[in-house]
Amino acid sequence: MAKERQTHDTESRILQAAEREFLTKGFAGARTTSIAEAAGVTHAMLHYYFRTKEKLFDRIISEKIELIKNLIFEAAIDSGLSIQEKIRMVMDRHLEFIADNPDLPRFIVGEVFNSPDRTGILLEKIKTYAPAMVAELQRQLDEAADKGVIRKVDAAMLIIDIASLNIFSYMVSPLINAVLDNCMQGNPEQFLERRKRENFDTIMRKLTPAGS
């Protein structure tokens, strides 16, 4: 048990150090020697655990994808919630994830444009669950629209709207802090709660049936 715990602790330190290195420097700029030093292990030990830089990168990104998938999918399929409650939960969880991983959106955008081959592998992983999730969301939206609860909307466009609202402020946080009196960095918890309310209200206005 002690050996297993030590192995897990070492692996966790490497993954945490690698995540910081990749997200701040990008895949091309990241160095396994820097990761090993930050994790407090030898370069040989890092390669013992993860073999290559590519495998280490793949592990980190795969875990991020799995985490966000579980956070959102769990809320989306909860039959005990109204469509409004589901949308609020999905938006809140997604925004909390972005707030906990503020460098991730900038990193992904950079990789999409700078490393199309490697990004293709990442997108293939997302495609294993995204179509089913979008189809289920569309079904629920159509059902709510047929009841007059919301207006008819396209699920793909709604996802783009939500992602844009949630991600933008963290993508350009240095600019927002500079222009708006350090509003994000000064009180991040308060900013997060305000963005949750603002973003949800914006989406609800989009979904409100005409004449309501």
Side-chain angles (χ1 to χ4, degrees), residues 28 46 57 120 124 135 143 154 196:
L46 183 147
F57 175 83
E124 286 302 316
E143 184 178 279
D154 181 86
K196 284 181 181 179

Side-chain angles (χ1 to χ4, degrees), residues 44-55:
M45 184 176 291
L46 183 147
H47 280 280
Y48 170 78
Y49 277 94
F50 293 100
R51 303 302 178 191
T52 66
K53 178 179 167 181
E54 287 76 9
K55 288 184 181 298

Side-chain angles (χ1 to χ4, degrees), residues 166-204:
N166 280 352
I167 291 173
F168 177 76
S169 55
Y170 289 92
M171 281 282 293
V172 297
S173 57
L175 178 61
I176 289 178
N177 280 316
V179 174
L180 300 178
D181 195 27
N182 207 34
C183 67
M184 293 181 69
Q185 193 170 7
N187 195 328
E189 293 81 10
Q190 184 183 66
F191 178 84
L192 174 61
E193 293 306 314
R194 290 184 64 186
R195 288 314 301 162
K196 284 181 181 179
R197 293 192 299 270
E198 291 287 340
N199 293 355
F200 178 72
D201 288 347
T202 299
I203 292 299
M204 284 300 103

Side-chain angles (χ1 to χ4, degrees), residues 63-82:
E63 288 185 357
K64 293 295 183 185
I65 292 173
E66 189 68 19
L67 177 58
I68 191 64
K69 180 189 77 172
N70 291 339
L71 285 172
I72 293 176
F73 193 66
E74 180 183 319
I77 65 174
D78 190 333
S79 59
L81 300 176
S82 67

Side-chain angles (χ1 to χ4, degrees), residues 88-191:
R88 180 187 288 276
M89 184 178 290
V90 166
M91 292 186 69
D92 285 357
R93 288 182 174 184
H94 180 249
L95 190 55
E96 288 167 0
F97 175 82
I98 298 299
D100 287 340
N101 300 271
D103 295 323
L104 188 60
R106 286 192 294 269
F107 167 77
I108 290 177
V109 169
E111 291 298 305
V112 165
F113 287 101
N114 296 325
S115 307
D117 292 341
R118 191 164 49 253
T119 304
I121 298 173
L122 167 64
L123 295 179
E124 286 302 316
K125 293 182 179 181
I126 296 175
K127 288 178 182 178
T128 61
Y129 73 88
M133 186 178 293
V134 174
E136 173 60 18
L137 175 59
Q138 188 68 66
R139 185 193 68 77
Q140 294 185 31
L141 291 170
D142 290 346
E143 184 178 279
D146 290 341
K147 295 177 181 178
V149 176
I150 61 173
R151 73 179 182 86
K152 201 86 167 175
V153 292
D154 181 86
M157 293 300 103
L158 180 61
I159 290 171
I160 292 173
D161 289 340
I162 291 172
S164 300
L165 285 168
N166 280 352
I167 291 173
F168 177 76
S169 55
Y170 289 92
M171 281 282 293
V172 297
S173 57
L175 178 61
I176 289 178
N177 280 316
V179 174
L180 300 178
D181 195 27
N182 207 34
C183 67
M184 293 181 69
Q185 193 170 7
N187 195 328
E189 293 81 10
Q190 184 183 66
F191 178 84

